[in-house]
Amino acid sequence: MSKNLLKASYGEIGKILTKKKIYRYAFNIGPTSSMSFLKRLGSGTGLIVIFGIMSYAIGIGMAEGFASTSLTASDVNYISLDTARAIGVTGMYTKPIELFVWGIYMLMSFLLIFPKKNFARQLFFGTLTMVSFILIMYGALIPMCFGFTYGGFGPVGFILQSLLACYFIFSAFRESVVSLKRELYGVSDASSAKGISLKALRRILLSMVVVILLNQYFLKIGHPLDSSVYSLIYGWGVLFWAIVVVIFIKVMFRQTISMYYFAKYDEQFRESLHFSDEEWYGKRKARRLKKKREQQGR
């Protein structure tokens, strides 16, 4: 029977989660893992003011501008007017999802400022905040990347790249789950069959490129919107987007699950890995605890 990834015991997760790995995960997300209020304040403010505005402007504002009926060819450079409108249409369809993710991101960035119970809870919350940050940035790129592909290569190129993107993302997620389960439980899931070999994948990629280029300049099925030389550069937007999503999965999936367990078994990890009061609670609370023990004669 397949084991649930989120139901490992402390003994199982304790075998792979060391203090060195925990601090490496903390380093990965920077000041969002800090127990210092000033560092969290600066981090949360930056996430809200800088990246919150930037992601909204790129993912929603820019797409709305391209969707404007008053847009003319003189308003865009290097891409065709049809490609710009494809970006606008894509943004209109994805706007509800982007607004939902953007709202979650802004809320988590605000809540990040407030103190958490201990280092384990702060690290888990900081990791989730960074995950929401990456999701909103990737979401902001969807209108542009998907619009570029549809505008540059038409429906044929868009469909082929989307199918390959789905395979890349699904495979990366499955491999991450299987790898972590193997380390936790010592056995592989029976359903973790091997995917397409690297050799076969290279052939599929090459075939896709050939079909897209043949259609772009000779077959013209679906009538590609932009046949300029620039489409050969930006027409791979969906594939580019999929690759950066795969990188995100490879980097953040293991950390997110590991930090979930670190928060779940916080007291056990504190004792077994010998965290000091300053490491666990921060300098301010550590001083209060020390003073309290001194008053009690300890």
Side-chain angles (χ1 to χ4, degrees), residues 8-115:
S9 66
Y10 168 72
E12 289 168 329
I13 188 64
K15 292 184 298 184
I16 66 172
L17 189 56
T18 63
K19 194 171 186 179
K20 183 178 180 180
K21 284 187 177 179
I22 290 170
Y23 274 109
R24 187 181 68 191
Y25 290 144
F27 176 80
N28 289 344
I29 62 173
T32 59
S33 67
S34 178
M35 296 300 290
S36 167
F37 172 75
L38 291 179
K39 289 183 179 181
R40 291 197 312 274
L41 178 62
S43 179
T45 303
L47 289 172
I48 292 171
V49 176
I50 299 176
F51 294 105
I53 295 174
M54 182 190 301
S55 61
Y56 189 93
I58 295 174
I60 298 175
M62 184 183 67
E64 288 180 341
F66 282 148
S68 172
T69 55
S70 61
L71 188 71
T72 63
S74 61
D75 296 324
V76 294
N77 298 310
Y78 305 110
I79 62 175
S80 67
L81 180 60
D82 287 330
T83 298
R85 286 174 176 166
I87 295 174
V89 171
T90 305
M92 288 174 59
Y93 282 111
T94 58
K95 182 178 179 179
I97 299 175
E98 289 184 44
L99 283 174
F100 177 73
V101 178
W102 186 81
I104 292 176
Y105 162 74
M106 294 294 280
L107 177 62
M108 294 196 68
S109 299
F110 175 71
L111 295 177
L112 176 71
I113 299 172
F114 298 93

Side-chain angles (χ1 to χ4, degrees), residues 78-270:
Y78 305 110
I79 62 175
S80 67
L81 180 60
D82 287 330
T83 298
R85 286 174 176 166
I87 295 174
V89 171
T90 305
M92 288 174 59
Y93 282 111
T94 58
K95 182 178 179 179
I97 299 175
E98 289 184 44
L99 283 174
F100 177 73
V101 178
W102 186 81
I104 292 176
Y105 162 74
M106 294 294 280
L107 177 62
M108 294 196 68
S109 299
F110 175 71
L111 295 177
L112 176 71
I113 299 172
F114 298 93
K116 309 302 181 294
K117 181 180 179 181
N118 52 46
F119 177 56
R121 305 291 177 89
Q122 180 61 49
L123 189 49
F124 179 49
F125 193 89
T127 297
L128 292 181
T129 303
M130 292 310 297
V131 168
S132 70
F133 164 71
I134 296 172
L135 287 176
I136 191 60
M137 295 307 293
Y138 285 171
L141 289 174
I142 288 178
M144 183 170 62
C145 290
F146 283 55
F148 276 165
T149 296
Y150 191 86
F153 290 149
V156 172
F158 181 83
I159 292 172
L160 288 175
Q161 289 190 46
S162 296
L163 290 174
L164 197 58
C166 289
Y167 173 77
F168 281 161
I169 294 171
F170 173 77
S171 295
F173 183 78
R174 182 188 61 181
E175 289 171 9
S176 297
V177 171
V178 170
S179 175
L180 191 52
K181 278 188 176 183
R182 186 183 297 117
E183 291 189 39
L184 284 174
Y185 307 122
V187 294
S188 299
D189 196 311
S191 64
S192 60
K194 290 185 177 180
I196 300 175
S197 66
L198 184 60
K199 184 177 181 180
L201 187 58
R202 284 199 296 264
R203 290 178 178 175
I204 292 173
L205 278 169
L206 180 60
S207 299
M208 183 193 73
V209 172
V210 171
V211 170
I212 289 176
L213 294 181
L214 283 174
N215 185 68
Q216 182 77 355
Y217 294 105
F218 298 101
L219 302 176
K220 296 189 180 296
I221 299 173
H223 302 289
L225 303 178
D226 188 352
S227 59
S228 70
V229 67
Y230 294 113
S231 66
L232 296 178
I233 300 174
Y234 65 70
W236 309 100
V238 171
L239 203 56
F240 167 79
W241 182 84
I243 290 172
V244 294
V245 171
V246 167
I247 294 172
F248 159 66
I249 293 173
K250 294 289 187 181
V251 172
M252 294 302 298
F253 178 82
R254 179 178 292 265
Q255 173 163 345
T256 304
I257 300 299
S258 297
M259 293 305 93
Y260 161 77
Y261 280 117
F262 186 40
K264 181 178 180 180
Y265 300 117
D266 52 354
E267 290 304 321
Q268 292 96 316
F269 276 112
R270 182 195 176 193

